[in-house]
Amino acid sequence: MKKLILLALVAAPSLLFAQENFVIKGKLGSVDAPSKVFLVYRDGTATITDSSAVKKGEFGFAGHVTDITRATLIVDYKGVGMQNIDRSSADIAAVYLVNGTTEIKSKDSLSKAKITGTKVNEDSQRFTTYLKPVNDANKALDAEYEATPKEKRTKEFNDYIDKKEDSISVKERALDSLFIIANPDSYMSLQALRGMGGPYPVYDQLAPEFTKLSPALRASKAGVAYQKYLDVIKSVSVGAMAPDFAQPDTNGTMVSLSSFKGKYLLLDFWASWCGPCRAENPNVVKAFNIYKGKNFTILSVSLDRPGKRDNWIKAINKDGLTWNHVSDLKFWDNDAAKLYGIQAIPQNLLIDPSGKIIAKDLFGDALEKKLREIFGTM
């Protein structure tokens, strides 16, 4: 099932305007000590965690961030501390840190709170309600998949799940497009646009939608940032020449993409910590072993964390990835990943001997099928 096994997503930094001075005032029924509410968000590359005691249901936060920032509120009802909260059943809510005072009120749980006082948050709640049908459909599909015993998750079953998921995605993209048309000035329309792109954005699909935003929103810092993102994904679209880069291999020797010119090359982005990547690796190994005798090879770029070189090399050996590997060990700040607009892994691009991108995101048996088209049946 694509949704459950396909990717790990970057916690992308916010797109946005100027410095935001935010205030959050909350009322959560009659909840009292020792309860606390935690506020978790990213500001630049740093992850910030703040906390507020709850007294007679009231809690609050204040601060400033560089841009409008999506944050998570988490209730610690028992006062056990952030690290000990059961995340699977935690009471949470999303909130945008934005200029002004945002009020959060609920008689019982934070997840059911009404959020008012700032337009971005009011639009966010409206957008969430608007997408409820597709979100409910996705939850139902997830539940159906999880309720099916592993031995019954046959190829036919997975194909059935994928077909239903694709149908839901089509409906969601249609709703996103309609929201943008109806709300061309809303920051949430930029979020809708990001949702339309998903983990594997296609420039030709997103560029026309971007023009539906109001001139003011497109000219804002948020709009300009998104236009730059579109420029990046355009530069690595099918038919474009693959941008060159160089990174150290496992021995510290610099290896460039251009050094593989003259061969069909799969440029593969992954990481040792990425479960979906490790689940996909057997498919890549199978295709490589079939076609490595032809004019085909692989260059894998790892988004492993700083100081985790051993984890990277151990995963290469454990998964039997007997091809070329490079990494600057900068996690999501990997220079090659940023050059290629990578915001989810696994992700790959197939490059022809001239250096042109001829296919993208070949997962499952799709890579082997594409190579069979090029080289014929082995």
Side-chain angles (χ1 to χ4, degrees):
M1 182 181 179
K2 298 174 188 173
K3 183 178 295 299
L4 295 176
I5 69 171
L6 196 59
L7 73 159
L9 282 166
V10 61
S14 304
L15 297 171
L16 299 158
F17 306 106
Q19 178 167 296
E20 305 292 318
N21 299 304
F22 67 88
V23 175
I24 295 175
K25 293 183 177 180
K27 183 69 170 72
L28 185 57
S30 57
V31 175
D32 214 328
S35 297
K36 286 187 175 181
V37 174
F38 289 94
L39 177 70
V40 183
Y41 60 95
R42 291 187 69 193
D43 192 12
T45 59
T47 298
I48 309 297
T49 300
D50 197 0
S51 66
S52 170
V54 184
K55 297 180 180 180
K56 296 182 179 180
E58 296 184 351
F59 64 91
F61 298 93
H64 62 269
V65 287
T66 306
D67 298 312
I68 297 175
T69 301
R70 190 177 189 273
T72 302
L73 291 165
I74 306 171
V75 185
D76 176 11
Y77 285 102
K78 297 180 181 180
V80 297
M82 182 71 173
Q83 300 303 319
N84 298 310
I85 297 173
D86 182 359
R87 299 299 179 89
S88 64
S89 58
D91 185 14
I92 66 175
V95 63
Y96 284 91
L97 308 182
V98 59
N99 273 332
T101 299
T102 300
E103 296 187 357
I104 301 173
K105 296 181 180 179
S106 177
K107 294 180 180 179
D108 42 37
S109 67
L110 192 61
S111 60
K112 298 179 182 178
K114 183 175 182 181
I115 304 179
T116 60
T118 49
K119 186 177 187 303
V120 170
N121 281 296
E122 290 172 357
D123 282 358
S124 175
Q125 285 223 311
R126 185 163 57 87
F127 185 52
T128 298
T129 300
Y130 175 77
L131 289 181
K132 188 175 186 301
V134 294
N135 290 334
D136 287 348
N138 277 322
K139 289 178 183 178
L141 190 59
D142 286 347
E144 182 178 358
Y145 183 86
E146 290 294 339
T148 302
K150 289 185 178 180
E151 62 272 16
K152 293 186 178 180
R153 295 177 189 174
T154 61
K155 183 179 185 304
E156 291 74 18
F157 173 77
N158 286 329
D159 287 346
Y160 153 78
I161 291 290
D162 286 347
K163 188 174 181 180
K164 289 189 70 172
E165 187 178 69
D166 288 343
S167 176
I168 295 170
S169 294
V170 168
K171 293 177 182 177
E172 183 171 1
R173 286 195 295 271
L175 287 175
D176 285 334
S177 183
L178 289 172
F179 186 89
I180 291 169
I181 292 170
N183 303 273
D185 288 311
S186 174
Y187 166 67
M188 293 313 297
S189 288
L190 270 173
Q191 298 302 88
L193 191 57
R194 289 176 64 84
M196 290 181 72
Y200 306 115
V202 178
Y203 175 81
D204 288 344
Q205 295 175 359
L206 296 179
E209 298 294 334
F210 182 70
T211 64
K212 297 176 184 177
L213 300 176
S214 71
L217 186 54
R218 280 185 277 128
S220 70
K221 186 176 180 181
V224 170
Y226 195 82
Q227 178 64 69
K228 289 180 179 179
Y229 173 66
L230 287 177
D231 292 343
V232 170
I233 62 173
K234 181 181 181 181
S235 72
V236 292
S237 296
V238 172
M241 299 302 291
D244 194 20
F245 65 88
Q247 290 196 359
D249 65 12
T250 56
N251 295 316
T253 302
M254 295 301 291
V255 176
S256 67
L257 180 77
S258 57
S259 66
F260 297 94
K261 202 165 185 178
K263 293 180 177 290
Y264 283 92
L265 176 72
L266 185 75
L267 178 58
D268 172 50
F269 291 90
W270 76 300
S272 68
W273 50 261
C274 167
C277 303
R278 304 294 293 274
E280 180 61 24
N281 277 343
N283 297 318
V284 185
V285 169
K286 180 183 176 184
F288 178 72
N289 287 337
I290 293 172
Y291 291 99
K292 63 183 179 181
K294 297 288 188 177
N295 195 33
F296 170 71
T297 191
I298 299 173
L299 176 62
S300 284
V301 180
S302 172
L303 274 64
D304 269 273
R305 294 175 173 86
K308 298 297 182 180
R309 180 177 178 276
D310 289 347
N311 290 6
W312 172 39
I313 295 175
K314 186 184 296 184
I316 292 171
N317 293 329
K318 184 174 182 179
D319 291 3
L321 313 181
T322 57
W323 51 76
N324 307 280
H325 293 269
V326 297
S327 180
D328 57 14
L329 298 176
K330 291 183 180 179
F331 196 33
W332 287 108
D333 285 328
N334 181 285
D335 289 339
K338 291 192 290 187
L339 180 65
Y340 278 77
I342 303 299
Q343 294 194 351
I345 51 175
Q347 194 160 159
N348 60 51
L349 304 91
L350 185 61
I351 302 168
D352 75 5
S354 73
K356 183 170 70 175
I357 299 167
I358 59 173
K360 297 181 71 172
D361 307 325
L362 300 169
F363 303 116
D365 60 2
L367 174 59
E368 185 180 341
K369 181 179 179 182
K370 183 65 178 179
L371 293 175
R372 190 160 56 245
E373 290 177 7
I374 295 170
F375 297 114
T377 304
M378 297 296 291

